[in-house]
Amino acid sequence: AAAPKEAAAPAASAGYTAKPHANLAEVMRAITFPGSNTIFDAQTKDPGAAQKETSRETTTEKFASLYGGWQQVELASIMLMETANLMVVPGRLCQNGRPVPLDREDFQKGIKGLIDAGEQALKAAKAKNVDQIVDASGAVAEACSACHGVYRDVDIPGPGQRERCTPPPAK
């Protein structure tokens, strides 16, 4: 018998075209920062351990229990990988109003590192393995540092200002 054919992926809808609704810093703060910190926390707070019951008075407390434990770490890992997709949406700008430097090799390497780190963290979370999470946290930190060291944590010569998302001038 012939092997069944895989269905083709549906074509993109003609009704909506992806467009950025936030600058890169806002995307990082809204998605990547909480996701990466969830993974970092899993190094020292076993997500599978019983969690203390809270009053559930705040929105964060109320909804944190819905997808908690290891599933929360899995979802955080997915958030990191999906951030890579959001970074390349056409028209995305940096906080300084300049285009995201997608044409730079180091930026592309950073995006790939974010995806790889997310995949490693997802595998560790699915295995419910704290030791693997420690390793994955290192990969997440390295992926973040790859871009932050070039685009965020550098001072650009000038009147004491930092311009995020701007590579330093050539020496």
Side-chain angles (χ1 to χ4, degrees), residues 63-84:
F63 295 110
S65 66
L66 294 177
Y67 303 106
W70 282 108
Q71 185 178 21
Q72 183 179 14
V73 182
E74 289 178 27
L75 296 173
S77 304
I78 292 167
M79 289 166 57
L80 293 185
M81 293 182 286
E82 288 296 339
T83 298

Side-chain angles (χ1 to χ4, degrees), residues 23-162:
N23 67 45
L24 184 59
E26 291 166 332
V27 168
M28 291 297 184
R29 291 174 187 148
I31 300 169
T32 315
F33 182 80
S36 61
N37 281 298
T38 297
I39 294 165
F40 295 147
D41 283 351
Q43 296 177 93
T44 56
K45 298 175 189 167
D46 183 345
Q51 301 296 318
K52 182 179 117 180
E53 189 66 28
T54 64
S55 65
R56 307 274 190 252
E57 292 178 10
T58 68
T59 302
T60 304
E61 291 170 334
K62 186 185 302 182
F63 295 110
S65 66
L66 294 177
Y67 303 106
W70 282 108
Q71 185 178 21
Q72 183 179 14
V73 182
E74 289 178 27
L75 296 173
S77 304
I78 292 167
M79 289 166 57
L80 293 185
M81 293 182 286
E82 288 296 339
T83 298
N85 291 328
L86 295 173
M87 292 169 76
V88 300
V89 169
R92 174 93 52 217
L93 299 176
C94 296
Q95 185 178 13
N96 61 15
R98 294 183 179 150
V100 172
L102 294 174
D103 59 337
R104 291 187 45 106
E105 186 178 330
D106 55 0
F107 197 83
Q108 287 295 320
K109 185 177 178 183
I111 291 172
K112 174 80 168 85
L114 191 61
I115 294 167
D116 292 346
E119 289 173 346
Q120 184 177 348
L122 181 59
K123 182 178 176 183
K126 287 182 181 249
K128 298 175 176 46
N129 187 308
V130 175
D131 291 334
Q132 289 179 16
I133 281 293
V134 170
D135 292 340
S137 292
V140 171
E142 286 176 22
C144 295
S145 293
C147 279
H148 288 188
V150 176
Y151 296 99
R152 191 194 78 173
D153 298 335
V154 295
D155 288 322
I156 303 300
Q161 293 193 25
R162 285 187 138 160

Side-chain angles (χ1 to χ4, degrees), residues 1-5:
K5 289 186 177 179

